[in-house]
Amino acid sequence: MSNNSNDLISHGNGPSPFVPYRNSKLTQLLWDGLRGTGRCLMLACLGPQKDHVEESLNTLHFASVALRIKSEPVVLLDPQDRLVLDLKSTISQLRSENRQLATALQHLSQGADLDLVVGSLPESFRNEVVTQGVRDGGGVIGGGKGT
């Protein structure tokens, strides 16, 4: 397992290299924590007996190496939940655009200069206004002929 943790540290979160002991029980127990999809707690138990000194040192070495393993948290979403979040984001964006256009329309109805109002719109709206104006006959709004 010590080699496994050393490989995880040396390669970080890059492409998955071959890692020895990937089928070990300890790796399977720690898998969610190592991937970032769960939490992992490691408790290193040591014994004071002289007979177990080497095993205690190996445990301490593994624990110190395991402390250096860094994983990024991963949020796993159901496709329906992802769709709901995307739709909520789209609704929020459209409401913001609606407020901007309503403000621009209010300024125009109060007699504000058309170039200033169009200039205050986001770039995507300005491009649409110019494109629509060219298609309608050269004017920016309403075709520019007698309106």
Side-chain angles (χ1 to χ4, degrees):
M1 189 64 194
S2 178
N3 290 338
N4 188 7
S5 57
N6 286 333
D7 288 342
L8 285 171
I9 290 170
S10 65
H11 295 298
N13 289 329
S16 298
F18 172 76
V19 179
Y21 310 111
R22 68 176 177 242
N23 293 328
S24 74
K25 296 293 180 189
L26 185 56
T27 303
Q28 291 174 7
L29 290 171
L30 298 175
W31 183 246
D32 285 335
L34 294 172
R35 274 193 329 179
T37 59
R39 292 185 180 213
C40 182
L41 172 68
M42 181 176 185
L43 180 63
C45 298
L46 306 173
Q49 295 89 6
K50 289 183 181 180
D51 297 342
H52 302 290
V53 169
E54 188 169 334
E55 187 174 341
S56 293
L57 287 174
N58 286 339
T59 301
L60 287 173
H61 173 71
F62 177 75
S64 68
V65 169
L67 282 174
R68 292 181 271 160
I69 295 173
K70 302 292 182 211
S71 64
E72 295 294 320
V74 176
V75 178
L76 299 176
L77 288 177
D78 181 29
Q80 288 181 333
D81 292 339
R82 170 59 60 198
L83 178 63
V84 168
L85 287 176
D86 290 344
L87 290 174
K88 284 182 179 181
S89 173
T90 301
I91 289 170
S92 176
Q93 179 185 0
L94 290 172
R95 283 183 176 159
S96 174
E97 291 175 2
N98 193 11
R99 280 191 294 275
Q100 290 174 335
L101 290 172
T103 302
L105 185 59
Q106 183 180 12
H107 288 142
L108 283 174
S109 67
Q110 294 173 354
D113 184 36
L114 179 63
D115 291 331
L116 290 175
V117 172
V118 170
S120 69
L121 293 174
E123 177 123 5
S124 60
F125 291 142
R126 279 185 266 153
N127 292 340
E128 181 66 26
V129 168
V130 170
T131 302
Q132 188 67 32
V134 168
R135 207 175 352 177
D136 287 345
V140 175
I141 292 184
K145 296 179 182 173
T147 55

